[in-house]
Amino acid sequence: MASVDVSAALRKDGFVKIDGFLTEDECDSLRKRILEIIDEMDVAKELRTEFTTQASEQLKAQGSKEYFLTSGDKVRFFFEEGVFDSKGNFLIPKEKSLNKIGHALHALEPVFKNITHSLKVQEIAQKLDLKEPVIVQSMYIFKQPQIGGEVTPHQDATFLCTEPLGRIIGFWIALEDATEENSCLWFIPGSHTAGITRRMLRAPKGEYPLLKFVGKQPDYRDDQFIPVPVKKGGLILIHGEVVHRSARNTSNKSRHVYTFHLMESQDSHWSEENWLQPTPELPFPFLYSSPPSF
């Protein structure tokens, strides 16, 4: 793993790429376990949820189901659009239908837990001067060949908001090569310095849909974004307020990723209006097993 001043790079651009973060074997162990999880998958037809980042469709799909809102302490399945018939049956093999699996792989699945709490992750957190980081969520993203959905420009803090801002860091680990062909991430360098203008909130109890957006996201030009391809095993650190996106995957190659988010919990407040909330069964777990030596 190449040496890089991750803290300085993150402050400058809002993201930083680190090649060779995981070994080939570590990547393959995560992919092997996810295939076992899919093989055991059993989601009732009425709970099958298609995942999208188009705002209106997002509220319709995720905002109408407790299945999404209560997934923070569970391992749940979210599907690409158009993979079910009118009766909820699969139109394609189930392993090809998934958009993502989330949101507590880091706590409930030992293979993912071991990677998330590994010394190499802790070392990155220490380089970022995180004193009491907690893990708030985790996801396995498939970006399926030909149907892997577009992820529109967004900031993670729209969905995972803290007071003050600037306390969320995403760890995005490529389990296969992520290229422009199979829809790598694109970023607007330096866009993390302007704050956020939009929030996705839990609706007050009794209101429907269960989620709502407040505020308006600016329009971004295509020429503001730069691609950030990364080889298998590479890591991209993502500041919670940097603007990023990925295109629909029209290639014949998948783009599997394991990603999770840390929050610096020291002197921070997690918004009770976020869709994701800790539970008595799963409070946000601390990254460090013991306090690090700074």
Side-chain angles (χ1 to χ4, degrees), residues 124-148:
I124 294 290
Q126 291 181 39
K127 288 178 181 178
L128 296 173
D129 199 30
L130 300 181
K131 300 295 195 296
E132 297 178 6
V134 295
I135 306 149
V136 301
Q137 70 159 0
S138 55
M139 299 179 285
Y140 191 105
I141 301 172
F142 294 86
K143 209 68 165 181
Q144 301 284 3
Q146 299 183 330
I147 65 169

Side-chain angles (χ1 to χ4, degrees), residues 203-221:
K205 192 171 183 179
E207 288 191 12
Y208 186 88
L210 305 174
L211 296 169
K212 62 180 180 180
F213 281 105
V214 174
K216 186 177 185 301
Q217 183 166 277
D219 293 324
Y220 302 108
R221 303 187 317 273

Side-chain angles (χ1 to χ4, degrees), residues 32-33 39 45 53 68 70 72 77-78 101 110-111 131 158 186 198 226 236 238:
K32 178 176 182 291
R33 178 56 191 146
D39 190 54
K45 289 182 182 179
T53 62
F68 174 76
T70 58
F77 305 89
F78 303 92
I101 296 175
V111 177
K131 300 295 195 296
T158 290
W186 293 63
R198 187 176 68 139
I226 64 168
I236 302 178
I238 304 174

Side-chain angles (χ1 to χ4, degrees), residues 44 73 90 94 154 164 168 241 243 254:
D73 59 356
F90 287 103
K94 64 180 182 179
H154 68 283
I168 291 289
E241 284 120 77
V243 178
S254 59

